[in-house]
Amino acid sequence: MKLATGLWVWVSLLLAAGTVQPNASQSVCAGTENKLSSLSDLEQQYRALRKYYENCEVVMGNLEITSIEHNRDLSFLRSIREVTGYVLVALNQFRYLPLENLRIIRGTKLYEDRYALAVFLNYRKDGNFGLQELGLKNLTGKENIQNFKYAFIINIMQ
């Protein structure tokens, strides 16, 4: 009984603090904590990503998009509006990241304890494929962008 009471108090505190904002009409999914680890089979990696985030609006945790080939349909990511942890986009070959509806990255957990949004190494060595555009048209907040040749890392401060 004490565990249930303690859990209820913890959830109530999160709700009061605004870190969890449930809404009956929102589709909530769990995030991941794999960082740069990926499945050995790229087809399986893509299927897992799609399974986790298709029809998801709120990612409770981290959104990690890694090791995705250039010819994959990522339109299912358009439904995501909020991520409570960090967003990691790395080791991919696609040209466009369709996160047009992502409005907020809360950053309750940070990548490498520093970044709410980390984007790097999204190209092939031969230069034929790679990330050219982030579709973060509705992302709000104050961003601090650090540019690199093939990467950029953004700190988002609320």
Side-chain angles (χ1 to χ4, degrees):
M1 187 66 175
K2 286 185 180 183
L3 178 61
T5 303
L7 181 60
W8 176 250
V9 170
W10 181 76
V11 170
S12 297
L13 288 173
L14 286 175
L15 290 170
T19 57
V20 177
Q21 299 174 348
N23 183 328
S25 65
Q26 292 179 339
S27 174
V28 178
C29 60
T32 57
E33 289 197 38
N34 299 325
K35 295 194 177 183
L36 297 177
S37 298
S38 64
L39 301 170
S40 60
D41 180 352
L42 295 180
E43 174 68 26
Q44 192 176 7
Q45 180 79 7
Y46 171 74
R47 278 190 270 134
L49 182 75
R50 188 171 192 124
K51 179 182 171 186
Y52 288 143
Y53 302 118
E54 194 159 34
N55 299 316
C56 178
E57 294 180 60
V58 178
V59 178
M60 296 297 286
N62 308 316
L63 173 58
E64 298 173 321
I65 304 167
T66 61
S67 302
I68 303 298
E69 297 169 302
H70 74 281
N71 58 346
R72 298 299 184 176
D73 176 13
L74 299 175
S75 61
F76 61 91
L77 295 172
R78 286 191 175 106
S79 62
I80 298 174
R81 296 186 303 118
E82 179 179 338
V83 176
T84 63
Y86 62 77
V87 175
L88 171 64
V89 182
L91 308 173
N92 299 295
Q93 296 176 13
F94 53 81
R95 294 186 185 273
Y96 180 71
L97 180 63
L99 288 173
E100 295 98 350
N101 294 312
L102 181 61
R103 297 175 80 54
I104 188 164
I105 302 170
R106 295 204 181 273
T108 56
K109 181 165 182 127
L110 301 174
Y111 180 73
E112 298 296 324
D113 296 320
R114 189 169 175 191
Y115 304 108
L117 173 61
V119 181
F120 57 90
L121 299 175
N122 290 290
Y123 64 95
R124 251 181 37 181
K125 287 183 183 179
D126 65 11
N128 285 335
F129 303 106
L131 185 61
Q132 295 179 352
E133 183 181 355
L134 287 174
L136 300 173
K137 296 172 175 62
N138 290 305
L139 189 62
T140 59
K142 183 178 175 185
E143 297 91 10
N144 173 18
I145 301 175
Q146 300 175 21
N147 289 302
F148 301 95
K149 185 172 181 180
Y150 292 106
F152 59 92
I153 298 178
I154 303 176
N155 289 330
I156 299 178
M157 298 145 302
Q158 300 272 342

